[in-house]
Structures are given as structure tokens and as C-alpha cells.
Amino acid sequence: MAGSMKDIKLRIKSVESTMQITKAMELVASSKMRRAKERVEHSRPYFETLHETLTDIAAADPRARSPYLRRSEIRRTLLIVIAGDRGLAGGYNSNVLKLAQQEPGDHLVLPIGKRSAEYFAHHGENLFTQEILLAADVSVGECFQLSRKITQGYLKGEYDAVKICYTRFDSMMTQTASVMEVLPLSMEPTEEQKAQARRSQILYKPSSEEVFSAIIPEYVAGIIYGAVCESVASELAARRTAMDAATKNAGEMIDHLNLYYNRARQAAITQEITEIVAGAEN
């Protein structure tokens, strides 16, 4: 009985240590969430403004034929996959990586995030770069550098489409793995936008096509940065939720172990009393 009580006591201490770690990780994730949410909110208007500008240009000159517009045949796709740099975030990493693997066709993969790089290197995928890009450290400048390389490769015909797999931040409790088609563009101005473009006095120099093509790298950089911001916020929210659940489970386990310990202790005391009484009677 004493051995059993000692084992339970050691188990309680072990679970308490684990609970301290999960609680600390939950607090760290919570402290980083505010800044991550602000990055998401600040990145969205930039992307929306660029998309609106491109649509306006397309509406102003519907005959324009940019190499970034939709192609008839897609043989190879550049797949940008954003995952986390660490684990312990519930199903965050597995959901986005599983979604990326379901994409059909021949792929060239640009992994962002340590887990993404390790996963695709392990599976022998063709990588856009051997450099490991940490999702939490990707800056606006790095997004613009990636965008220039991506658009240059697209224009050279190294791939015919660009898609981005990331996790959309819906709320603290909901994050959704999503795929967004980046290139080729499918600009479909509404009739109202076309009418407004005809009334507009805006002139594009040297031409609307060249202005359109000049904005595309900015547009792609905005999408990448926005997707990174959304993914980082989603990872922190998922980790906070997972660590909160782990902390609660550890607390429940400690309560159960304390109950078993008290029962074992009570049984040991009862046995000692019984032995003392039996010895006194003899």
C-alpha cells in the first residue's frame, strides 16, 4: 500500500509540473495574440485597396491582355504553404499540411514555417527555396523579395499558377485552413465598376497594361504578408486553446489522483488500526 501511495504522489508531482508548463505556454500565446490580431487587421486594408485598384484598371481597359491574367492550361503550380514553427497547437499544422497535400497536379512548394519546411523536405517535394523561413519572423520586406522572385518565375513559365495554403483567422475559437489562388488573376469587374471607369478621368501612363503589371508584385506581396499574419494569429489562438484544454485536463487528473491517494491513505490507516486492535485482543 505504501508503494502505491508513493507512486500516486510522484504522479501528482509530475502532472503538476506539466500543468505549470502548459499554463505558461497558454499565457505566452495570450500575450502575443493582441499584437498578432493587430497585424491581421492592419494588413487587410492594404490587400483590399490593391485588389480594388487592379479591378478598376481592368474595368478601364477590358481589352488589356496582361501575362498575369488567366491562362488556358495549367501544367505546374507553385504552392505556398504556411504552417507553424512549433507544435503543441492542436490540429493547426496537420490541417493546413493535409489540405496542401490534397491539391492535385504537379507542384513546386514554397514552405513558410519550420514545420512546413520539415514536412515537405521529408516527403521529397520539389522546393522553391532551401532556405527555412520562420513564419513568426517573416517581414514585409521579405514578402516583397519573395513576391519579385515568384512573379519572375511565373513570367518565365517555370509554373503556370500560384496558390497559397494558409490558416484563416476567423476568431479566437475558429481557424480555417484555406487555399487561395493568387496567379493567374481572374479580374471580373462588375457592370457598375465598368460604368464608373468610363466616367472616370483617370489616365494610366505609359499604359494601363504596364501599370497593371507593375502593381502585381505589390499585390502578391500583400497577399503573402496578409496570409502570414492570419496564419501566425491562427497558430497562437490554436496553441492558446490547446494549452488551456491541457491545463484543465491536468487539473482534473490531479483531482482524481488526489482522490485515489486519499482513499489509499485511508485504507492504509484503517488497516493499521485493524492490526493494532487485533494485536490488543490477542
Side-chain angles (χ1 to χ4, degrees):
M1 184 66 68
S4 176
M5 289 173 61
K6 184 178 180 181
D7 291 341
I8 295 173
K9 203 68 176 176
L10 290 173
R11 184 80 182 278
I12 291 173
K13 289 182 179 179
S14 175
V15 176
E16 285 176 343
S17 299
T18 302
M19 187 169 70
Q20 289 177 351
I21 294 171
T22 57
K23 186 64 178 177
M25 293 185 69
E26 178 193 348
L27 293 174
V28 169
S30 298
S31 66
K32 292 180 178 180
M33 268 304 304
R34 181 178 177 182
R35 184 181 177 188
K37 287 175 68 178
E38 288 178 353
R39 286 179 66 192
V40 170
E41 292 168 359
H42 293 163
S43 66
R44 283 173 178 167
Y46 178 76
F47 162 74
E48 291 169 357
T49 302
L50 282 176
H51 187 271
E52 183 180 346
T53 303
L54 288 170
T55 306
D56 289 342
I57 296 173
D61 188 2
R63 295 169 300 174
R65 290 293 178 265
S66 170
Y68 293 110
L69 294 176
R70 186 164 299 281
R71 295 182 176 178
S72 57
E73 183 181 2
I74 296 176
R75 295 179 297 273
R76 196 181 199 198
T77 301
L78 173 64
L79 203 57
I80 306 170
V81 184
I82 305 173
D85 300 318
R86 295 181 296 164
L88 298 177
Y92 168 77
N93 288 314
S94 60
N95 289 340
V96 71
L97 294 174
K98 183 179 178 181
L99 181 64
Q101 283 290 75
Q102 292 174 351
E103 282 296 307
D106 182 23
H107 295 141
L108 178 65
V109 179
L110 169 55
I112 298 179
K114 189 175 180 181
R115 294 288 181 176
S116 179
E118 291 173 348
Y119 178 86
F120 288 106
H122 177 72
H123 285 76
E125 294 280 357
N126 295 321
L127 300 181
F128 183 81
T129 177
Q130 298 299 322
E131 181 183 2
I132 296 179
L133 301 170
L134 301 180
D137 297 336
V138 173
S139 64
V140 177
E142 287 176 314
C143 289
F144 277 98
Q145 292 175 7
L146 283 174
S147 174
R148 284 192 290 270
K149 293 178 182 178
I150 290 168
T151 51
Q152 287 171 5
Y154 180 83
L155 292 176
K156 292 177 181 176
E158 295 175 4
Y159 33 84
D160 307 296
V162 179
K163 293 183 179 180
I164 188 164
C165 294
Y166 72 107
T167 305
R168 188 177 67 247
F169 179 79
D170 297 323
S171 68
M172 287 294 297
M173 299 302 296
T174 307
Q175 304 85 40
T176 308
S178 306
V179 177
M180 179 189 298
E181 186 172 325
V182 182
L183 294 175
L185 291 169
S186 179
M187 310 303 298
E188 296 294 340
T190 63
E191 291 301 323
E192 181 181 350
Q193 288 172 320
K194 292 178 181 179
Q196 185 178 353
R198 286 193 294 269
R199 293 192 301 268
S200 175
Q201 300 299 315
I202 297 176
L203 297 176
Y204 299 98
K205 296 292 184 179
S207 68
S208 58
E209 287 187 18
E210 292 189 40
V211 174
F212 188 90
S213 296
I215 294 177
I216 294 298
E218 310 280 330
Y219 173 76
V220 173
I223 289 181
I224 295 173
Y225 183 69
V228 168
C229 292
E230 296 257 359
S231 295
V232 170
S234 297
E235 180 185 4
L236 291 171
R239 181 170 292 114
R240 179 184 176 279
T241 302
M243 292 301 100
D244 179 56
T247 301
K248 289 179 180 178
N249 289 339
E252 292 176 1
M253 188 178 293
I254 289 171
D255 291 340
H256 287 304
L257 288 171
N258 280 325
L259 181 61
Y260 295 147
Y261 178 80
N262 291 333
R263 286 177 178 174
R265 184 168 175 269
Q266 186 178 5
I269 293 172
T270 302
Q271 184 177 354
E272 288 180 10
I273 292 174
T274 302
E275 290 175 353
I276 291 171
V277 171
E281 290 178 351
N282 293 333

